[in-house]
Amino acid sequence: MTRTVWITGLGAVTAFGPGVPALLQALLRGEAGLSPVEGIPTTRGKLLGGQVKHPDFAGPHRLSDMAAATVAEAVAQAGWSAAELADAGLFVGTTGSECQLAEDRHAELAAADQADPALRDALLRFTNGALADLLAQRFAITGPRDVNTNACASGTIAFARALTALRLGRIRRAVVCGADQLRPLTYWGTERAGLLGHDLRPFHKDRGGTVFGDGAGAMVLEWDDDARARDARPLAALAGWGVVCDENPQLIVPQLDGGAAVRCFHAALRDAGLAADEIDYINAHGTGTLNIDRIEVVAIKQVFGERATQIPVNSTKSLTGHLSAASPLIEGIATVLAIANGYIHPTAKLDQPDPSFGLDFVPLRGRYQTVRGALSNSMGGGGTNAMLAFTSPDREAPARPAPAPLSDVVITGAGAVSLLGAGRQAIGASLLDGAQRGAGRLGNFDIRSYVDPALQYEHLSRAAQLSLAAAVLAGGDARLGADAAHPDRVAVIFGTAFGGTPAWSEMLCKAYATDPRHITPNMALEHGHHLGVTLIARREGARGSNVTLTGGRTSGLEAIGFAADLLRTGACDVAIVGAGDSLDDILARSLQLLGCSAPPDAEVTPYGAAHGYHPADGAACLVLERRAGATARGARILGSLAGFGSAGAPVGLAAIDATGEALVRATRAALAEAGVRGQPVAACGSGNGTPGLDAGELRALDEVARRDELQLQLVSLHGRFGETFAAGPLLSLIGGLDCLTARRVPRWIAGAPPAGSAWFARPGERWLGDALLVTGSAPGGAAAALVVRPEAP
């Protein structure tokens, strides 16, 4: 008998108040919870929002408070012990986290000489990864943690990440959370982009746009046998997921023929092992916009044929408002409740359905009926289509083939743009010949050198430009072409810490402070975390999964881990995977105010004298394939993946895991999977001159070397590349792999050997062994490690 992933706990905060019972009562009533927007100037009569106005969430940290409330409710319902919660994976979706705190103080940020406690708190909460760090601290979660930002599909992708990790045995249980709030820049950006309406009436003949709001949701997932062992009551089963990209993805306009949505339906059904006639209910994305509602209807008719008119289709957004990354959680909860209670809630305000649609939208009144299987659909800007499949908990899961070993995943191309040059060969040569480091920003970078200048990408987010350039180089290095894989089988997975959002927020804040009407559609759309993935997918014609991970400094390594798992399970044949961050002026200023940056004239010495770090531009990209496919097309194989590990320490916002305990667990997991106990291992650490971070990593590696009897030869290359955040470990991987293949320790090594650490590499030594360990750790407690084996040229 195969195992099933059960949902045993739910948590919600919506405009109806805190708690799933409040949401359930609203679903039963079928009345929308929209009300006049407060705290934001409105325009053109667009007065409504789905704001949470409960006094429990009136403080400055209202978003993380809402998210924490949902996790607490879900965990309590599941009946998890503290120990069971501690080793859970934590997967979060958000589009903006608590960035409003910094946006509200933009004018002060521009003029401040130093950061007072409130401004410091605002800056530290700006990154999306901070939300996962805060939740991990509040609930003492030590398992892997991850954040993704893929517009309105982010919550769905958090489920996909969790379910994949469960199936691969990386975790035994998971917490999934989605949270977002209606900020002034959300309101005005979407209004100026033409998305905002006067009301939210999905599938109505007079629909005219969407209405945004606040919200958070959480679910807990675990294997059925674990839940049975403590007599937990399952609500439903999470059976499968699908994530695909539009053909020629655009920033906001989806694929109008519905083709991508159709592929997403089929992907979710296939992953869940469900036939189309087993679906009794569809929870639609249902935004109330002209195009998206029509696309969903077209796709449902194509997938389900004559039976399409018999399947209830509703929109939870018609009740709650559009909650961005939180909507997939709230809609997932509505879907789970439909399975558990046999009740399908109505689509509110649907007194006159669009007569051209002809589907059963459950207008105005809900109904009771048995639901065996259900789908919940999400669509995000940038071409993302995402869907979840839920079933009753007593349905036996289909048998799945064993995943391929990690060593089946090979590297066939690498590309980077950095202070050491552009391209794999340039970086390797620079490391081996000891060339000098340049400035912190790539002053000579021009995206027009990599793509057709007529595209005018130079006006887009710089982080997206850097990521695209690295992908162009990696694709050329891998000689990707039509013979590599079908477009539907090519995934794009990237990590970023900031994604260009500091510069984006600064631009919008300036316009908003002067006159919100000065915000243009281009300002609102041509930036954002996921833009790099959109541009890469467009260029490469990739129509498989498109995901942007935003957990911070470790998100590049997490992107490799996720992409590898997709390849191992057959979800794709090729993955374009990497990370990129840009040193925008406002980011550089914020880092200075936080005291992170080293003085300009200070030498960066990881593991040595600690002055802070030199932030820099940088992006790196790998092409990963399954070995059989790479061999069949005659691709050159640079190396193979051997081990991956991820963990966290609940140390709190921007705090340092000084013991290195999380990195110990992540590194030992990667080394164990690679099977290198007792062998020599070359290591590229993530030391960057930050005192606590460097010390914690040294403690971790010292313990790992002792416990696993390793002969480590450690270097840190961050002094050469600068601190490039999410891109740093991948730049080290690309450079370190070339150096290990040449069996030469790089001539230039930052830092000096710490006392008593005989395993610290020296220039001129021969790198031993046939495995390269790359580590990453981050303020806030996240840690990840990857082991790669080079292959002979």
Side-chain angles (χ1 to χ4, degrees):
M1 183 174 179
T2 56
R3 303 168 80 197
T4 301
V5 174
W6 277 358
I7 299 158
T8 54
L10 309 174
V13 173
T14 64
F16 305 108
V20 171
L23 174 62
L24 176 58
Q25 288 303 310
L27 299 180
L28 292 169
R29 292 193 307 270
E31 297 176 3
L34 307 182
S35 61
V37 170
E38 295 180 0
I40 301 172
T42 57
T43 185
R44 293 194 277 196
K46 298 175 182 179
L47 308 177
L48 294 179
Q51 289 176 306
V52 174
K53 298 176 180 178
H54 193 277
D56 285 356
F57 310 108
H61 303 148
R62 61 191 304 266
L63 184 76
S64 56
D65 289 342
M66 287 191 287
T70 67
V71 172
E73 182 183 16
V75 169
Q77 183 178 18
W80 283 0
S81 67
E84 287 167 329
L85 178 57
D87 70 354
L90 174 62
F91 301 92
V92 177
T94 185
T95 67
S97 187
E98 291 190 313
C99 62
Q100 184 178 342
L101 290 171
E103 290 169 349
D104 287 346
R105 305 189 68 170
H106 170 262
E108 180 182 347
L109 173 62
D113 294 325
Q114 58 184 5
D116 62 29
L119 180 57
R120 180 178 179 84
D121 178 71
L123 292 175
L124 293 177
R125 289 173 182 264
F126 181 86
T127 64
N128 286 358
L131 184 56
D133 294 340
L134 288 163
L135 291 173
Q137 179 192 27
R138 190 170 302 199
F139 296 99
I141 297 174
T142 63
R145 77 181 67 152
D146 187 28
V147 181
N148 85 86
T149 302
N150 293 270
C152 309
S154 304
T156 301
I157 291 174
F159 278 107
R161 292 280 288 125
L163 187 54
T164 302
L166 282 161
R167 289 173 176 173
L168 271 292
R170 300 202 181 279
I171 54 174
R172 286 183 60 178
R173 56 189 65 84
V175 175
V176 180
C177 180
D180 264 317
Q181 61 184 326
L182 177 57
R183 301 147 43 212
L185 297 189
T186 302
Y187 176 93
W188 280 94
T190 54
E191 199 284 328
R192 305 305 285 166
L195 300 177
L196 205 62
H198 294 83
D199 201 351
L200 204 168
R201 298 187 291 178
F203 309 115
H204 199 284
K205 74 178 186 68
D206 296 324
R207 67 193 183 279
T210 199
V211 172
F212 286 86
D214 307 324
M219 289 194 202
V220 295
L221 314 176
E222 58 185 312
W223 290 111
D224 54 353
D225 48 357
D226 285 343
R228 286 192 183 97
R230 59 174 209 288
D231 296 324
R233 173 182 173 245
L235 301 168
L238 179 59
W241 62 272
V243 177
V244 307
C245 186
D246 284 357
E247 183 175 4
N248 187 29
Q250 303 300 305
L251 302 182
I252 195 64
V253 179
Q255 189 174 332
L256 296 180
D257 64 2
V262 169
R263 288 188 288 111
C264 193
F265 271 100
H266 286 309
L269 290 170
R270 183 171 55 250
D271 186 59
L274 286 167
D277 60 8
E278 293 182 87
I279 299 302
D280 297 321
Y281 163 50
I282 299 171
N283 190 299
H285 189 49
T287 60
T289 55
L290 291 173
N291 285 336
I292 290 180
D293 284 9
R294 185 173 299 280
I295 289 167
E296 287 195 274
V297 171
V298 168
I300 290 169
K301 289 181 176 179
Q302 287 190 41
V303 172
F304 295 96
E306 293 182 358
R307 188 169 172 267
T309 58
Q310 304 169 29
I311 302 174
V313 179
N314 65 5
S315 169
T316 304
K317 290 185 182 72
S318 69
L319 301 168
T320 64
H322 193 332
L323 310 181
S324 299
S327 272
L329 269 296
I330 301 302
E331 291 156 15
I333 289 171
T335 307
V336 168
L337 291 174
I339 292 171
N341 300 332
Y343 176 78
I344 299 174
H345 74 75
T347 300
K349 303 179 184 178
L350 190 55
D351 55 340
Q352 298 183 69
D354 188 320
S356 68
F357 287 171
L359 296 183
D360 176 8
F361 296 114
V362 198
L364 303 179
R365 288 179 175 272
R367 69 180 66 133
Y368 287 92
Q369 80 172 55
T370 300
V371 177
R372 300 167 298 163
L375 298 173
S376 182
N377 187 37
S378 301
M379 302 171 72
T384 303
N385 299 259
M387 188 171 295
L388 300 173
F390 298 92
T391 67
S392 59
D394 55 359
R395 178 184 181 270
E396 185 173 348
R400 297 182 179 279
L406 188 59
S407 58
D408 190 54
V409 178
V410 298
I411 303 168
T412 56
V417 285
S418 75
L419 296 176
L420 296 189
R424 175 174 61 85
Q425 294 87 348
I427 287 173
S430 294
L431 290 172
L432 290 173
D433 69 16
Q436 293 301 306
R437 178 179 60 83
R441 186 175 170 93
L442 299 175
N444 60 350
F445 174 78
D446 190 337
I447 190 61
R448 292 170 293 188
S449 301
Y450 299 89
V451 298
D452 184 351
L455 294 171
Q456 297 185 333
Y457 284 172
E458 66 271 19
H459 302 297
L460 305 181
S461 157
R462 182 175 173 84
Q465 294 179 46
L466 293 168
S467 296
L468 175 60
V472 169
L473 293 169
D477 193 44
R479 300 180 180 88
L480 280 183
D483 64 331
H486 189 279
D488 293 353
R489 305 284 297 166
V490 180
V492 183
I493 317 291
F494 257 64
T496 185
F498 301 99
T501 53
W504 182 27
S505 288
E506 181 185 36
M507 175 177 59
L508 290 172
C509 284
K510 286 180 177 178
Y512 179 76
T514 303
D515 186 333
R517 293 171 296 180
H518 291 172
I519 294 175
T520 66
N522 285 350
M523 286 183 191
L525 298 178
E526 294 185 347
H527 299 271
H529 293 88
H530 61 280
L531 179 59
V533 165
T534 298
L535 298 181
I536 294 167
R538 183 188 299 172
R539 175 182 171 81
E540 299 297 335
R543 304 192 315 199
S545 297
N546 56 332
V547 173
T548 302
L549 304 181
T550 57
R553 201 166 179 256
T554 59
S555 58
L557 287 176
E558 295 286 357
I560 292 177
F562 184 42
D565 286 347
L566 295 182
L567 287 160
R568 294 175 63 196
T569 56
C572 66
D573 295 326
V574 173
I576 302 169
V577 55
D581 273 303
S582 60
L583 182 60
D584 302 318
D585 291 342
I586 191 67
L587 174 59
R589 175 163 179 76
S590 299
L591 294 172
Q592 290 172 351
L593 289 173
L594 290 170
C596 302
S597 303
D601 58 347
E603 183 66 34
V604 177
T605 54
Y607 313 123
H611 300 291
Y613 52 76
H614 290 311
D617 285 339
C621 181
L622 303 175
V623 175
L624 304 181
E625 303 182 53
R626 293 197 289 187
R627 185 178 293 274
T631 302
R633 73 178 186 88
R636 178 198 56 225
I637 296 177
L638 303 175
S640 61
L641 305 192
F644 176 77
S646 178
V651 294
L653 184 66
I656 301 298
D657 176 19
T659 66
E661 182 267 338
L663 189 57
V664 168
R665 287 185 284 112
T667 302
R668 295 196 75 210
L671 293 169
E673 188 173 21
V676 294
R677 180 181 176 87
Q679 300 177 22
V681 175
C684 286
S686 63
N688 67 352
T690 301
L693 206 64
D694 288 6
E697 183 172 53
L698 285 178
R699 291 189 189 98
L701 294 179
D702 197 39
E703 181 175 347
V704 169
R706 176 178 54 80
R707 293 174 65 177
D708 291 332
E709 302 173 357
L710 297 176
Q711 181 184 346
L712 282 177
Q713 290 178 297
L714 173 69
V715 300
S716 174
L717 305 179
H718 279 64
R720 299 298 312 285
F721 295 117
E723 175 53 71
T724 54
F725 303 101
L730 273 63
L731 289 168
S732 294
L733 167 61
I734 292 172
L737 189 60
D738 260 21
C739 293
L740 182 58
T741 301
R743 294 295 182 188
R744 292 171 56 194
V745 172
R747 283 185 57 192
W748 192 98
I749 300 174
S757 295
W759 37 265
F760 206 96
R762 276 96 171 153
E765 286 184 340
R766 175 180 171 83
W767 253 1
L768 304 176
D770 63 353
L772 176 69
L773 168 68
V774 179
T775 62
S777 55
L786 178 72
V787 178
V788 178
R789 295 185 187 276
E791 299 211 3

